[in-house]
Amino acid sequence: MADSTDILTVKGLKAYYRMAYFGIDREVRAVDDITLSIRRNEVYGIAGESSSGKTSLIKVLAAAIRPPLEVVDGALTYRFGDIEIDPYKASSEEVNAIRWKHLSYIMQGSMSVLNPVRRIRHSFSDFAFQPMGVDKKTFWERTRAHLERLNLSPDILRAYPHELSGGMRQRVTIALATVCQPEFIIADEPTTALDVVVQKDVLAMIRDVQRQMGSSVVFVTHDMSVHANIADRIGIVYAGRLVEEGPTRTLFTAPKHPYTAHLVGSLPRIGDTTTKAALEGRPPNLADPPSGCRFHPRCPLAIDKCKTEVPPLETVGQSHRSACWRADEVKPLAPVAGQPAQVTP
Amino acid sequence: MTALLDVTAVSKRFAMGGILSRKQTDAVVDVSFTLASGTPEIFTIIGESGSGKTTLARMILGLEDPSDGQIVFEGSSAEERRNAARRLAFMRRVQPVFQNPFEAFNPLKQVERYLEATARTLLGLKDRTAIEDAMDGALQKVGLSYAEIKGRFPHELSGGQLQRVAIARALIPEPALLIADEPVSMVDASLRMSIVNLLRDLRDTFGVSVIYITHDLATAYYISDRIMIMQKGHVVEMGPARPVLETPQHPYSRLLKQSVLSTENAGQGVLEPADRSIARAAWENAGSGRLVEKPDGRMVRE
Ligand SMILES: Nc1ncnc2c1ncn2[C@@H]1O[C@H](COP(=O)(O)OP(=O)(O)O)[C@@H](O)[C@H]1O
Ligand SMILES: Nc1ncnc2c1ncn2[C@@H]1O[C@H](COP(=O)(O)OP(=O)(O)O)[C@@H](O)[C@H]1O
Ligand SMILES: [Mg+2]
Ligand SMILES: [Mg+2]
């Protein structure tokens, strides 16, 4: 399975929040048996509703977990040049050596990494100077050049975070995460809090920096229209499991899981006046998830088998996997992207 | 017939950094629009953060006084509502919906307490069965029931249910107008559609008018009858929602539309930032000119 084009392979990964309340053990199975690989030079989008486990999954990938979240099973291997590392089997020195330099993680709400009482340049020197491993002069030269490449004025190094707008702070955070030219960048909802105009600019910036550096980006958001515009491939997460994965265009035009069909088909669009149904039912409780296919209580195609047997994630087309007993019968709900919608007068 | 809501040349200016400071922000500048009574509609206010949407909503709710202009609701102005009884009568007719369902509810309080408080203060109910009936009636309108939420705390309900409870609370006095300030900006896509579908049902089934405040053009297109686009406190374009969003005319409206992420080219990697010249035109002349009426009934600032 290991392919030289893969920078990360994840096998059978399980990570649970384990807590004890009044002597009763409770487990939240936020990441439950995930197998996937991320290729070099691609943007891999992770989609799913809130509380489906997106943040938990990428915290595990970023080796940034803290109790009560624990990896309980599975393996995870990064390949950076000739370094091959499983952060959960390596020493903390080895893990620290890859941070920033090879692997960087833009956390949800991450604009807070910028220290509010210090100028931006201190954030750069605190986080990036040591990993870059060059002298001060070269460090600042590279930092300025990097900012310019991202259309940011090097003057912002002198600013305090509060002097910048939200969009500008998010751009600075991305510049900081990419200044050491890491091969692997993980970003959790980096544009969710931004206004539309700024959001599009920031997405374009992420796309540009990814192309310039040829790095791999794992991009998390619940917003499918963001994925449509930035991801090369998308993995759809439902209740801690990967339920479908494939090239972005394929998931939008020919989804093979009813949940994906819903996500793609319920997007309102200017020019489309058809009624869009919301997904019925409640999001599952990950401490006590539904039996069989976790989506079955909300699935329009569910049959008896779905209630008892977990559908495996199987290949259903080129680079396309789906975990559904009735994958062949899934139809896109909406007019196929690229064709104009039926407009009722 | 008197209008439901008449907003005439309303402005709001905030002094920045205290009363003695000379620095001022024009949060809302010379805004006028009317909602007719008897024809419920969804009137949407669109704009990026800082464009004055919340300030305008707060003035309509009587939580903030305009610096200039007049806001008249069903024939009475804010000055005429100074006494408690008239103020109460007004609050029965116009209700806000909180922005973020997760923040609106105290985690230590059962959610029915909020509904109960509204039934007591606005309807003056004291009898337990009457209160429960009022709560159940409002919850039924949002697809829930009192039995489903009885005794529940916020963490025991999903985000979608909480947002429905927040809307049910506002419906208790059977208002004519709901003001929903960004009710979907904090929720994910499938939940978003359940909330906007609910607002649409309230209009169609119960005749409630809604002022829907958002920066999301796609849901605005989906449910609105009319829209008003604001930039830095000024209305730049206003009119029937579909034509305005299909072919926006003001540079700022065009910039907003260009920034909407389309799914037509999903996965093709075409992600162009908005056209710089449109953006420049939009910002350079922000607020200049006056609103001019167009043949299709829209108003455009030029
Ligand atoms: N620190 C924590 N302790 C216990 N449970 C948690 C914690 N953080 C998240 N969870 C639970 O893990 C599940 C997945 O959450 P998360 O990974 O944040 O989802 P997403 O990013 O998709 O919204 C949820 O059920 C959430 O309540
Ligand atoms: N109480 C206040 N005091 C001073 N300035 C305010 C106050 N409320 C809002 N503003 C300013 O008014 C402008 C419009 O804000 P707001 O109405 O909240 O916009 P929106 O809801 O469209 O984001 C902003 O510049 C904001 O900083
Ligand atoms: Mg998250
Ligand atoms: Mg606001």
Side-chain angles (χ1 to χ4, degrees), chain B residues 53-54 181-182:
Chain B
K53 306 180 299 296
T54 296
D181 189 354
E182 311 225 21

Side-chain angles (χ1 to χ4, degrees), chain B residues 66-297:
Chain B
S67 312
D68 262 310
Q70 262 230 323
I71 298 177
V72 174
F73 182 80
E74 291 185 329
S76 77
S77 66
E79 297 87 74
E80 294 167 302
R81 283 185 243 122
R82 292 287 179 227
N83 86 52
R86 298 199 65 172
R87 169 95 198 130
L88 203 61
F90 169 76
M91 284 166 66
R92 288 195 198 112
R93 302 289 292 159
V94 185
Q95 276 288 313
V97 175
F98 311 117
Q99 173 167 12
N100 184 347
F102 303 97
E103 280 173 6
F105 294 94
N106 177 339
L108 301 176
K109 241 168 110 176
Q110 290 153 333
V111 296
E112 71 196 83
R113 301 271 169 248
Y114 292 88
L115 303 171
E116 205 181 307
T118 300
R120 284 180 194 277
T121 50
L122 292 187
L123 297 182
L125 298 178
K126 295 195 177 59
D127 172 56
R128 186 70 207 170
T129 34
I131 290 173
E132 285 183 11
D133 285 349
M135 293 196 284
D136 192 54
L139 287 162
Q140 297 280 351
K141 289 182 183 169
V142 301
L144 291 169
S145 66
Y146 178 57
E148 279 174 83
I149 66 138
K150 188 173 181 199
R152 302 284 196 108
F153 287 91
H155 71 268
E156 297 177 281
L157 299 174
S158 70
Q161 285 174 315
L162 279 183
Q163 189 62 290
R164 279 164 193 274
V165 172
I167 293 173
R169 190 214 54 79
L171 293 175
I172 283 185
E174 306 194 344
L177 179 61
L178 276 189
I179 300 184
D181 189 354
E182 311 225 21
V184 298
S185 60
M186 310 299 286
V187 303
D188 61 33
S190 30
L191 191 49
R192 191 181 306 167
M193 290 320 286
S194 88
I195 303 301
V196 295
N197 282 336
L198 172 59
L199 295 178
R200 196 158 77 164
D201 288 349
L202 292 175
R203 175 196 65 191
D204 296 344
T205 315
F206 303 103
V208 181
S209 281
V210 180
I211 294 182
Y212 172 55
I213 297 176
T214 186
H215 54 249
D216 177 34
L217 274 66
T219 55
Y221 181 88
Y222 181 70
I223 58 166
S224 315
D225 297 294
R226 284 191 295 156
I227 69 162
M228 177 165 103
I229 300 175
M230 290 182 72
Q231 178 190 24
K232 290 186 172 174
H234 300 265
V235 174
V236 296
E237 191 159 349
M238 170 159 73
R242 287 184 180 161
V244 168
L245 289 172
E246 280 160 9
T247 53
Q249 289 181 10
H250 189 274
Y252 182 68
S253 322
R254 289 168 57 203
L255 173 65
L256 286 181
K257 175 150 182 209
Q258 275 206 351
S259 303
V260 172
L261 295 169
S262 132
T263 55
E264 307 281 294
N265 296 313
Q268 315 277 288
V270 284
L271 186 66
E272 297 296 329
D275 188 330
R276 293 288 144 200
S277 62
I278 291 186
R280 216 174 305 115
W283 290 108
E284 265 170 10
N285 303 315
S288 65
R290 58 189 183 83
L291 287 170
V292 174
E293 184 159 1
K294 299 287 163 182
D296 65 358

Side-chain angles (χ1 to χ4, degrees), chain A residues 212-290:
Chain A
Q212 285 171 20
M213 307 192 314
S215 40
S216 306
V217 173
V218 172
F219 192 104
V220 172
T221 175
H222 65 81
D223 188 339
M224 290 301 287
S225 54
V226 170
H227 284 304
N229 285 276
I230 192 149
D232 298 304
R233 290 193 299 148
I234 303 177
I236 308 279
V237 173
Y238 187 82
R241 289 228 162 103
L242 192 60
V243 296
E244 185 166 8
E245 178 193 69
T248 301
R249 181 127 198 101
T250 307
L251 292 206
F252 273 84
T253 54
K256 289 277 176 233
H257 193 286
Y259 180 57
T260 313
H262 165 77
L263 287 180
V264 169
S266 63
L267 284 173
R269 297 186 310 191
I270 294 176
D272 177 359
T273 59
T274 56
T275 297
K276 307 286 177 192
L279 192 59
E280 295 301 323
R282 289 188 63 169
N285 173 1
L286 295 186
D288 182 20

Side-chain angles (χ1 to χ4, degrees), chain A residues 51-65:
Chain A
S51 294
S52 57
K54 305 182 297 297
T55 296
S56 307
L57 170 61
I58 65 169
K59 275 187 182 157
V60 176
L61 301 188
I65 60 170

